Amino acid sequence: MGSDDDDIPEYCKGENAAAPGNKDIFVQLVISLALGVSAFVAFCILRPRWKSLYAARKRQSDPKIALPALPDTFFGWIPALYRVTEEQVLASAGLDAFVFLSFFKMSLRLFTAMLFFAVVVLWPIHKTFDADPADPPGGSPGNDSLYMGFAQSRPLRYPMNLDYMLADPDPEDKSMTYLSSYLVFTWFFTLLTLYFVNSETTKVVKIRQDYLGTQSTITDRTFRLTGIPGDIRSEEKIKQFVENLEIGHVRSVTLCRNWAEIDALMAERRVVLRKLEEAWSVYLARDIAAESVYNSQQRQGGDDTLQGSGNGDEESQENRRLLAGDGLRHLITERERPKVRLRFGFLKMRSKKTDALDYYEEKLRRIDEKIRNARRKEYAPMDTAFVTMDSIAACQMAVQATIDPRPGQLLSKPAPAPSDVIWKNTYTPSYKRRLQSWAVTIFITFLSILWFFPVAGLAQLLSICNIKKVAPAIARTLLDHDITRAFVQTGLPTLVVSLLNVLVPYLYDYLSNIQGMVSQGDVELSTISKNFFFIFFNIFVVYAVSGSAALADFWTIITKSLIDTRTIATRLAGSIQNLNNFYLNFIMLQGFGLFPFKLLQFGSITLYAIYRMGAKTPRDFAELVQPSLFNYGLYLPTALLVFILCLVYSVLPGAPIVLLLGVCYFALGYFVHKYQLLYSMDQPQHATGGAWPIICGRVIVGLVSFQIVMIAVLVLRTAFIAAAFIAPLVILTFWYHSHSRRRFTPLTRFIALRSIKRASDPGSESRPDQDPDQVQQQTRLTRRMSTVDEDREKGMRFVNPSLISPLERPWIYRDPPPPLEESPIDSNPGSVSGNESLAPMPQSNNGLGSVASSFSLGDTHVWRDNSDDV
C-alpha cells in the first residue's frame, strides 16, 4: 500500500483531484475560435450566393413587412441587422421570436452589469484575500496562468466532521470580513436578477397585450371547449348553449368527430401518391437517357455522312431527319416501364411483377373514391369543439370564465392557430392521451437515470487522477504530453457533452409529439421543458456531484448524503469550484465554436447533400429548398443552462472571466438567432409568447441553485453566520416566483379586455364620441402593418384538412399540377356550423427541381437563382 501511495502525485493526494487547468482553457479557446472563425468566414462567403437558404424568409414574406435589405458585402450585413427594430421583429417574426430575443437582450444587460461589479469590486477582493503562491484548486501541473489573476485562490479546507466545523475559528478567520463579500454579492446579484426579470416581464406583457389587442385573427376569436356532455354534442346545441351565456354571438362551431377513417385514407393516399411520382420519375429518366444516347449516335452518324458525301443535297438531309424521328420513336416505344413486385398468398410467400404506373394509378383512383365517400359520412361526435365568436372580447370572456359548475365538464381554453392543430389528437379520448402523457413522463424519468452512467463516466475524464485509477498507462502518457492531456481532459468531454446537447433534444422532441397534445405550440413548449431538464440534470447536477469523484464512489456519496447532508454540501462546493474551468470551456465552445455553425446552418447543408442524393421527384426537390424550421426547444435550453452557470459562478473566484464569456455568449446568440428568425429560418408555431413563463421559471431555478452553492461554499469555509443569512434569500426567491406567477401568468395566457382595440375587433363598434377615421389612424399608429399572424391565418378556418383539402394530382413535370376538381358535395366537411365561407387550403410550392439535374455547389446549385436580391 505504501508503494502505491508513493506513486500518486502530490496533486492527486487529499480531497482535491486535478481538474482541467489554465492551459486546457487556452487549448479549448484555440479550438473554439478556429471552428467559429472558419464557419463565420464560410457563411460570409456563401450568404450572397445561396440566398434561397440564407434569405429564405425574406424572399417568401410579404413586401409590406419591410425588412431591410442586407448588403452582400462581407461584413456589411452586421450593422444592418443590428438596426432592425423590435417593431420589425414583431411584424416579421411574431411574438415568439420577440420573446426569445428578449431573453438574450435581458441576459446581455444583466451580465454586463454583473461583470462591471465583478471587475471593480470582487476581483480586488479575491486578489487581496485569496492570493497564494500555491496552485489554484483543480490546477494541473504545467499550466500557465490564463486568468491574469482573476482566479488565483488559496487552497480550500474541506472540514469533514462536525467537531472541526464547530470549533473556535482562528483569530485570523475571515468568515465575517472577506467572506462577507460572498454574502453581500449573493444578495445583490439575486436582487439585480429579479429586478431585470421583473422589468423584462412587464415589458413583454405590455407588448404582448398591445400586439394581440390590435390584431384580429380567427385564433383570437376562437376558444376550445372540452368536456362536452353527450346531450349537447351537436353544432346547433353548442351554439345555442354558448349564446345563452349572453357573452356574444357565435360565428361558427367546429365539433371534433372521430375522423380516424378519413385521416388514415389521406395518409395512405400521400404514400401512394409519392410512390406513383417516383415511378414516373424513373420512367421519364429512362426517356431522357434513351434520348441522350440516340442524340450521340445521330451526331456520330451525321459526322460520318458529312465526311463521306460532302454537303449532300436537300433530299438526303430531309431523309435523315425523317429517319431520326423514326429512330427516336422506336426508342421511346421500346423503353421498359418500371415494375413493382406484389406479394400475396399464404404468409405473402408468392409474388409477381406488374406495371408500376398502372398499379399505383389504379390504387390512387380507388383511394380517391374511398375518400369522396368518407367525406360524405357522418362521424361520431367527440367531447371537443372549436367555437368562433363574433368578437375578441366575447372569446376572452368565455376563456377567462368558469362555464360549468361540474368538475371536468365544459372547460374553455384558448384555441391554437388552425395550422397548429394536431387533428388526430382532437378525437383521441382524454384517458388515452393522459396515458400517453404519463407513459412518456415515466420513460423520460427512466431515460434520465440511464443517461447518468455515460455522463458520469464522461465526467471522470476531467480528472487525471481518475484516469490514473482506470488506465495508469494512459494517464502517464497524458502527463508527458500537455496538449494531448488538455484535449482529453477539456476538449473531448466538452465536445461529447455538446454533441449530446445537440442530438438528445431531437429524441425529446419526438417524445413530445407522441404525448397527445392538441397543438404544435404546446409540443414546442413541452420540448423546451424536457430538454432543459435533461441538460440541467445531466450537465450541471451530475457533473457537480461526480465531477471530482470516481464513478464507483458516486453511490457512496449519495448514500452518505442521505444520512448526513453535510456530505453533499461539502462535495457540491468542492466540485463546483473544481469544475470552473470545465464550464468555462463549455461556454466557450457553445459561444465561439458552435454559434457560427448555427449561422452557417451546417446541419441543413449536410442534410441537403444527403437528401439530394435520394431525391427523385419534383416534389422531393421542392421540399429540399423549403426554409429550415426554427425549433425553440432545441436552442433555448442551452441558453438557459449558460445563464444558470453564469449566475452560479458570478461571486466565486474567476467570476470576471465567467461573466465575460457569458456576455460574449449572449451577444453572439442574439445576433445569430436574430438573423435566423428574421431572414433564414421559418417558425410555423403560434405560441403567442408562451415561452416567457418557462424562461422565468428556469431563471428562478438558477437563482436557487446559485444560493444553494453559495451556502455550501460558506459552510465549507466555516462561515456559518454568513451562510445563515443567505437562507432567507431562498425564501424570498420562492415568494417572488409565487407572487409573479399570480401577477403575470394570466396576462401571458389571455388578452385583457381593455387591451382590445375596438377598431380592430370586427364584432364591436368603436366609441360613438370618437371619429372612426381617428380611431383607425390611432390603431395604425399602434400597429403600422398587419401582423405575421394575420397574414398567416388569412382565410383559414378550424376544419380538419382531411375533409376539405384538394386531392393532389401526381407532380410529374416541373410545374405542380392543379388539384382534382370536386363537386361541392364531395368536399362537404359535415362538422362545421356557421356563416363563414370555407376557404381552400393553401398550397405552397416554393421550389422545384429536375429529375435529370445533378448535385453541385457552384453556380448551378439549387439554392442559387436569379430572382431579386435581398
Side-chain angles (χ1 to χ4, degrees), residues 9 39 53-54 206 259 266 281 339 427 430 609 645 666:
L53 173 66
Y54 295 121
K206 181 181 182 302
W259 293 309
M266 291 296 291
S281 66
K339 303 290 184 182
Y427 53 80
S430 58
L645 292 177
F666 285 103

Side-chain angles (χ1 to χ4, degrees), residues 546-561:
S546 65
S548 62
L551 182 60
D553 299 335
F554 182 81
W555 295 113
T556 305
I557 297 172
I558 296 297
T559 304
K560 291 181 179 179
S561 301

